[in-house]
Amino acid sequence: YQRRVHGSVFMSSIAAGDWAAARTVLLAWSAAGERNSSAVVAIAKWLLPAYAGSLKDDVYAIYEQVCVAAIDCDETELYKQCFGALQKRFPKSARVRLLEGMRLEASKEYARAKELYEAIQKDDESNAACRKRIVALLAAQGLYEEAIASLNDYLQTFMADAEAWQELFELYLQVNDLESAASCLEELVLVNPHNFWYYLKLGEVHYTIGRGDHYKLARSYFAHALTLNPDSARAKYGLLLASGRIPQGKETVALCRANLAAAYADGQSVSSAAARATLQ
């Protein structure tokens, strides 16, 4: 709902040149962690030249947001304009220097980006954003083991950083270390025990490991995912597969088959037909 409202405001603000509505949209996207880079660039191109002064103190947050969007969209001139304004206002800011590091990463100037990040970290070893950029830099180069070591070191200090645990989960998948990936998801469950996605992924990871008690664990996690999201076909299918791997799961398999068959009964797509065929 929030995205639809912001999208409609965005379209009308483009037509009317409504800088106040555009500011509201940009700040809302930023607060929600939504990059929407193409849309941000489109707004910035008419907003900043004509209305930067009207934005008052919000202009610097928007400059930073536009810098990231410009990097994503390879809008070099727009990036230079916004970065220059930030650098002039905050000449010693590590946060502004990190933007330049991101630009260097995007340009695949990894050595220069690493040098910049190490300089920032030398000035402030507790700079969490810088340490996470170093992890991203290593991962971008395919240095997954080094990225994992760096992120594990970071998490010794910032243990409640859910974003970092999720990134570590993804890195462990890259090196096929599924048991460590499961451990990351368990940490995420502690941070947010009501997140359906964490239980679903735990079920999938344990099913993929597939030895010892992992099928039982997979069934338990898929079942818990369904308590949080009863309409998830993915969790139902996972529960069906995991239950079929253990002796006590025959009744659950039959129930899942019936439930999924009913869910796909009205489907007209090829994928629905294929799904129904697997349930026969």
Side-chain angles (χ1 to χ4, degrees):
Y1 171 76
Q2 186 181 51
R3 290 186 182 182
R4 289 199 298 274
V5 170
H6 291 165
S8 63
V9 171
F10 161 61
M11 294 304 295
S12 63
S13 68
I14 286 290
D18 186 344
W19 66 266
R23 176 184 62 184
T24 299
V25 170
L26 290 174
L27 294 177
W29 283 342
S30 180
E34 298 178 16
R35 284 169 81 139
N36 296 326
S37 297
S38 296
V40 169
V41 166
I43 295 176
K45 284 184 174 179
W46 65 262
L47 177 68
L48 295 178
Y51 301 103
S54 301
L55 299 172
K56 298 184 179 179
D57 288 343
D58 289 329
V59 72
Y60 297 109
I62 290 173
Y63 277 142
E64 181 180 22
Q65 183 180 14
V66 174
C67 276
V68 175
I71 292 169
D72 288 343
C73 298
D74 197 24
E75 292 280 351
T76 305
E77 291 305 316
L78 182 60
Y79 169 81
K80 287 180 179 178
Q81 173 193 341
C82 296
F83 181 77
L86 287 169
Q87 195 173 43
K88 182 178 179 179
R89 177 64 180 83
F90 308 103
K92 297 182 180 180
S93 169
R95 188 163 167 169
V96 174
R97 293 165 71 194
L98 283 173
L99 292 171
E100 180 62 6
M102 292 173 66
R103 185 196 66 77
L104 292 169
E105 286 183 61
S107 301
K108 297 187 178 180
E109 298 181 61
Y110 298 130
R112 290 182 61 194
K114 181 181 179 182
E115 184 179 339
L116 176 59
Y117 293 148
E118 287 177 345
I120 295 171
Q121 192 172 6
K122 185 177 180 180
D123 292 339
D124 180 10
E125 292 186 359
S126 65
N127 189 315
C130 181
R131 294 178 69 177
K132 289 165 83 171
R133 288 302 336 151
I134 291 172
V135 173
L137 179 65
L138 293 168
Q141 297 173 84
L143 303 174
Y144 299 121
E145 296 290 355
E146 291 182 39
I148 287 168
S150 181
L151 194 49
N152 271 311
D153 183 60
Y154 167 86
L155 284 165
Q156 293 297 313
T157 304
F158 303 96
M159 291 180 287
D161 188 334
E163 184 183 62
W165 282 113
Q166 188 162 328
E167 177 62 21
L168 186 58
F169 162 70
E170 298 289 348
L171 288 170
Y172 277 127
L173 291 184
Q174 290 288 344
V175 298
N176 202 32
D177 186 348
L178 298 181
E179 293 188 349
S180 294
S183 296
C184 295
L185 290 169
E186 289 163 2
E187 294 290 342
L188 285 166
V189 166
L190 292 176
V191 175
N192 184 356
H194 303 294
N195 190 310
F196 151 80
W197 184 88
Y198 298 154
Y199 295 99
L200 178 66
K201 296 305 292 184
L202 271 165
E204 292 175 347
V205 168
H206 281 290
Y207 183 84
T208 303
I209 295 172
R211 62 176 183 272
D213 290 331
H214 287 287
Y215 287 128
K216 290 182 180 180
L217 286 169
R219 186 177 70 159
S220 296
Y221 284 123
F222 284 130
H224 196 85
L226 281 169
T227 66
L228 296 173
N229 184 359
D231 296 326
S232 172
R234 184 167 163 179
K236 290 175 185 176
Y237 198 70
L239 182 59
L240 184 155
L241 293 175
S243 298
R245 293 284 187 169
I246 58 178
Q248 310 94 319
K250 292 183 179 179
E251 290 185 9
T252 305
V253 168
L255 181 63
C256 288
R257 283 184 187 277
N259 195 297
L260 281 165
Y264 285 114
D266 297 327
Q268 300 299 318
S269 67
V270 173
S271 60
S272 295
R276 290 199 303 275
T278 65
L279 300 173
Q280 300 304 316

